[in-house]
Amino acid sequence: MKISRISLWSLGLTSHEAYHMSEGKTCDTVKTHILSLETDTGLKGWGEVCPIPHYLPAFADGVPSALTEMAPELLGQTPLGVDSLMHRLDNYLLGHSYAKSLVDMALWDLFGKAVDQPLYALLGGRMQADMPLYHSITCIAPDDMARIAREAYGTGIRQFQVKLGADQDWQADAERLIKVREAVGEGPLVYGDWNCGATKLQATRTGRAVANLDIMLEQPCKTLEDCAAVRQATGLPMKIDENAFDIASLVRAAELGVLDAVALKLSKFGGLSAMRRARDLTVHLGAEICAECTWGSDIVTAAALHFAASTPPNALLNTCDLSSYVGPRVAPDCPTRKNGRIAPPEGPGLGVSPDLDLLGSPLLELA
C-alpha cells in the first residue's frame, strides 16, 4: 500500500458566539484545513488543523505551502509505520509542527483502517469508556460568564475554563473567577486562563484576590519563568499551555514547579506521534493532561478523543469537543457530549467520515 494522492480543503468555522481572549485575540470565523491522504488501494486517511490567528507560531495559509513542500516525501511511501515517516518529514522540513500535525493525523487514520482497528487501540489501548470534558467560557462580563457556567453545569459539565484578560483589568478577572465559582458551587474544577496575556503583577493580584477559593491558574504570562513567579506568589496550582510544545519545554516546566497540569495540543506538538511521547513523559512527571488541539471541527476532535481514551485515567484531567463550539459540523458521525463526558468514535482509524458535499472542491491536489 502506497500513498498515491494528497488532497487539501479549506473551510471557515464560525463560533456559535464570538470567543474573546486576552490581548484582543478572538475566535469568530477561523480557517481550518482538512487533508486526505489516499492510497493505491483506495483507503483514505483524514487530518485537520485549525490555527487561531495571532495565538501560536502557526499560520493557516502556510498549510498548503508546507504540504506542497512535504508532498515528495509522502507520495509513494507506505503509511504503515507512522513514526518512521514523520521522522523523515522532520528531517526534510524543519519546524512547522502545525502543518505536520494534520499529516500525522491522516497517517494514523490510514494505519487504523489498514489494520481494521480504532485509533485508541494503536495509541496504547482504551483505558476508559468515556472522558470528562471542560467547558471554555469566553471572556465577557462576569455575570454573563457565570450564566454560561450555570448552563454548562446543567448539562453535566464539571470543569470550567474561565478566559481572562480581555479588558486588562485584574479586578474584573478576579470577579469573573469568583462569580463562576459561586455559580457552579464547590467541587467542580475552575481555572482562569490568560493565554499569556497578563503581566506577573496583574496575574499575582488576581490570584491573591481568589486565593481563598479552589481555583487553578492557566498560563498567565508569556514565559515559564514568569508563570513560576506567579505560582510562587499566589500559592495556586498552575496549568501550562502555550509554553508546552515539546519534550524540552515539559521538562523545563517541571523543573520550575509549574507543571501541575498541561494542555497537550496536537498542532503544537506536530501530531499524535509526538503527543504519545509527550504523554509518556507527562505521566512520568506526575502532571495531569488536557488532551485537545488549538481549534477545529470533528476530525481534530476525533483524534483528540482517541488520544484521551488511551491516556491513563489518573493522568487525564479532561478533553475537549472542539466541534461543539463551531459550525458547520464537518463529520456528522462524530460523537457529541453527554452528561459532561464524551466517548471516542467507533470504527477503524479515526472513525469519522467528512461530508464531501460540504467540503466541495479541493484547494490543492497532488499526485
Side-chain angles (χ1 to χ4, degrees):
M1 180 173 19
K2 307 292 183 183
I3 298 170
S4 59
R5 180 174 295 276
I6 299 170
S7 302
L8 185 71
W9 291 263
S10 176
L11 183 70
L13 298 178
T14 300
S15 300
H16 297 313
E17 60 178 313
Y19 191 73
H20 301 281
M21 298 177 284
S22 66
E23 298 185 308
K25 293 186 286 285
T26 62
C27 282
D28 190 358
T29 296
V30 180
K31 184 183 295 185
T32 195
H33 280 97
I34 294 170
L35 171 71
S36 166
L37 296 180
E38 186 173 353
T39 71
D40 52 9
T41 65
L43 286 181
K44 291 182 180 179
W46 295 95
E48 180 183 10
V49 68
C50 184
I52 297 174
H54 319 299
Y55 173 60
L56 287 171
F59 175 47
D61 287 336
V63 174
S65 297
L67 189 59
T68 300
E69 185 74 14
M70 291 185 284
E73 299 298 304
L74 289 167
L75 291 168
Q77 301 297 318
T78 175
L80 303 181
V82 183
D83 286 313
S84 174
L85 193 45
M86 291 308 298
H87 180 72
R88 181 188 184 107
L89 292 180
D90 284 338
N91 286 334
Y92 185 75
L93 178 65
L94 302 181
H96 299 279
S97 296
Y98 68 100
K100 292 173 182 172
S101 65
L102 82 169
V103 174
D104 180 89
M105 199 181 301
L107 289 170
W108 279 104
D109 190 25
L110 272 176
F111 188 14
K113 289 172 177 173
V115 299
D116 195 29
Q117 291 293 318
L119 197 53
Y120 58 73
L122 307 181
L123 296 176
R126 189 167 186 169
M127 298 199 182
Q128 46 194 319
D130 57 14
M131 299 80 64
L133 289 162
Y134 76 88
H135 189 79
S136 186
I137 305 173
T138 180
C139 188
I140 50 179
D143 286 336
D144 290 328
M145 296 177 74
R147 172 186 53 78
I148 293 170
R150 281 192 294 270
E151 291 171 354
Y153 185 92
T155 69
I157 293 288
R158 294 298 180 265
Q159 300 191 34
F160 302 87
Q161 182 192 64
V162 181
K163 291 297 184 181
L164 303 174
D167 46 16
Q168 298 293 303
D169 183 341
W170 73 267
Q171 290 173 303
D173 286 338
E175 186 181 358
R176 291 177 172 108
L177 290 168
I178 291 167
K179 289 196 170 180
V180 169
R181 169 52 73 197
E182 290 174 347
V184 302
E186 297 181 1
L189 177 65
V190 174
Y191 52 104
D193 181 16
W194 283 273
N195 293 107
C196 300
T199 65
K200 286 186 292 184
L201 178 58
Q202 289 168 338
T204 297
R205 296 175 86 180
T206 299
R208 285 182 171 173
V210 301
N212 62 314
L213 301 176
D214 178 16
I215 297 288
M216 182 168 69
L217 305 181
E218 179 176 354
Q219 192 75 53
C221 307
K222 289 181 170 60
T223 69
L224 288 173
E225 289 74 15
D226 284 354
C227 290
V230 172
R231 195 199 189 292
Q232 184 176 16
T234 63
L236 294 174
M238 182 74 67
K239 176 187 171 189
I240 295 300
D241 180 358
E242 288 86 348
N243 282 151
F245 51 85
D246 61 10
I247 295 298
S249 61
L250 291 171
V251 171
R252 180 59 176 157
E255 290 173 345
L256 290 168
V258 291
L259 201 68
D260 297 300
V262 62
L264 299 186
K265 294 183 176 178
L266 292 157
S267 62
K268 287 192 303 179
F269 282 84
L272 291 158
S273 300
M275 284 264 283
R276 284 191 310 160
R277 297 189 288 271
R279 176 181 65 192
D280 292 345
L281 175 61
T282 303
V283 171
H284 173 73
L285 293 172
E288 296 192 29
I289 294 167
C290 172
E292 57 174 346
C293 197
T294 306
W295 205 241
S297 187
D298 297 295
I299 299 171
V300 74
T301 293
L305 297 183
H306 281 284
F307 179 85
S310 61
T311 297
N314 63 349
L316 184 73
L317 182 70
N318 54 43
T319 189
C320 184
D321 57 340
L322 289 166
S323 51
S324 73
Y325 294 89
V326 299
R329 296 300 298 261
V330 169
D333 54 352
C334 190
T336 57
R337 62 175 68 182
K338 184 178 180 181
N339 296 325
R341 302 181 70 88
I342 195 166
E346 298 295 342
L350 288 172
V352 295
S353 305
D355 183 344
L356 296 178
D357 291 334
L358 175 68
L359 295 183
S361 300
L363 170 71
L364 179 69
E365 288 189 287
L366 302 166

